[in-house]
Amino acid sequence: SRLKPSPMTDEVVLKVEHLCNENYNDVSFELHKGEILGFFGLVGAGRTEVMRTLIGADQRTSGKIILKGKEVKNGWNTTKALKAGIGLLPEDRKTQGFMNLSNNYENIAISSLEKYMTGPFTDTKKKIKNAEVYFEEMDVHPRRVDYMTSNMSGGNQQKVIIARWLANNPDILIMDEPTRGIDVGAKYEIYQIMIDLVKQGKSIIMISSEMPELIGMSNRIIVMCNGHIT
């Protein structure tokens, strides 16, 4: 897939300068529009913590985050990050990715509820219709939007979580170990979804502990070790 011309452009959608907190130090990088930027490192290298700061779940002690040319002010949080078009696909699907006791269409709608309002209430029909579109696009099995997400296979759960973020139409999607614990066929499908997303002009940060996967998918790779970019 890498022989095709890359959709990456010169436009910088995210710039991080000298970012620090107690888990990492002096982290600087740029993410371009249409790019898949790989982040490699062992567990504890600080990759996930940097990403948590970008989405406002953790705070930085110093450094700058510049999003689409504008500096992100203090008080950055997950709600603001979501509104600004950043989504994080978490490393641990089971605890963070979806609500265990919910079905697929509820899980897909959860990050973008204001889209499904009819008056003060959320409209179940709209949620179902939306989920059906993504199920078709991503070839989710079984094609049951009323199914409990926790009863799906790992690959199909991951597609439901990706759909949840796409329903919010992010410009930047951070994917933390997106293919961990997924069988080979489903991995390939997730890669294909990622390639389609950057073709649409979205940008992806892909965190992985598998170097061959990053080499196959990324435009550039950043390596982290002990909280530093090496």
Side-chain angles (χ1 to χ4, degrees), residues 70-93:
K70 285 203 180 91
E71 194 179 330
V72 167
K73 297 283 174 257
N74 287 340
W76 187 241
N77 59 31
T78 48
T79 311
K80 288 179 183 168
L82 202 58
K83 281 213 159 65
I86 305 184
L88 171 71
L89 199 73
E91 179 180 14
D92 189 347
R93 282 193 294 280

Side-chain angles (χ1 to χ4, degrees), residues 39 61 117 124 145-146 153 171 211 228:
F39 260 79
T61 47
M117 301 305 270
T124 301
V145 299
D146 59 339
S153 70
D171 302 309
M211 191 48 106
H228 290 271

Side-chain angles (χ1 to χ4, degrees), residues 88-111 135 140 145 147-165 178 180-182:
L88 171 71
L89 199 73
E91 179 180 14
D92 189 347
R93 282 193 294 280
K94 294 276 185 292
T95 58
Q96 304 168 306
F98 57 82
M99 300 181 296
N100 257 325
L101 301 173
S102 282
N103 62 31
N104 289 323
Y105 71 76
E106 292 289 358
N107 270 315
I108 289 175
I110 195 67
S111 291
F135 268 45
V140 181
V145 299
Y147 229 62
M148 297 292 276
T149 309
S150 52
N151 292 344
M152 313 275 280
S153 70
N156 285 297
Q157 284 179 359
Q158 191 66 314
K159 289 179 187 176
V160 169
I161 301 165
I162 293 172
R164 164 188 159 181
W165 288 110
R180 177 132 105 227
I182 293 177

